[in-house]
Amino acid sequence: MDELDPSVTEWVSRFAEAVGAATPTPEEVDRILQLAAVAAHAAQRQAAPITCWLAARSGMELDDALATATRLQ
């Protein structure tokens, strides 16, 4: 998460700790942002966080979620 604004990195780390989850690695952050970008460009911006939430809730691996979103666009 080195490329992100420090306030984003701090917020994500604090939120992860608060919910008992591991802070995402830089590679995971990159995949999450790619997934969000695909969803936002395939529909409207609001689709990005909802798509990420659905992927997480379904238990999909990030690469699988990204592949599925890319296929659907």
Side-chain angles (χ1 to χ4, degrees):
M1 294 195 309
D2 296 334
E3 299 172 15
L4 298 175
D5 184 281
S7 65
V8 174
T9 303
E10 181 181 331
W11 166 255
V12 170
S13 294
R14 288 183 22 226
F15 189 81
E17 183 178 338
V19 299
T23 301
T25 66
E27 294 79 17
E28 290 169 328
V29 169
D30 184 53
R31 288 289 195 223
I32 293 164
L33 294 176
Q34 287 178 26
L35 175 59
V38 169
H41 289 104
Q44 296 290 325
R45 295 187 306 174
Q46 294 89 343
I50 298 166
T51 299
C52 291
W53 181 82
L54 286 168
R57 184 157 180 152
S58 74
M60 290 182 89
E61 294 292 326
L62 283 170
D63 287 338
D64 295 336
L66 182 56
T68 299
T70 300
R71 188 178 72 247
L72 292 174
Q73 69 177 23

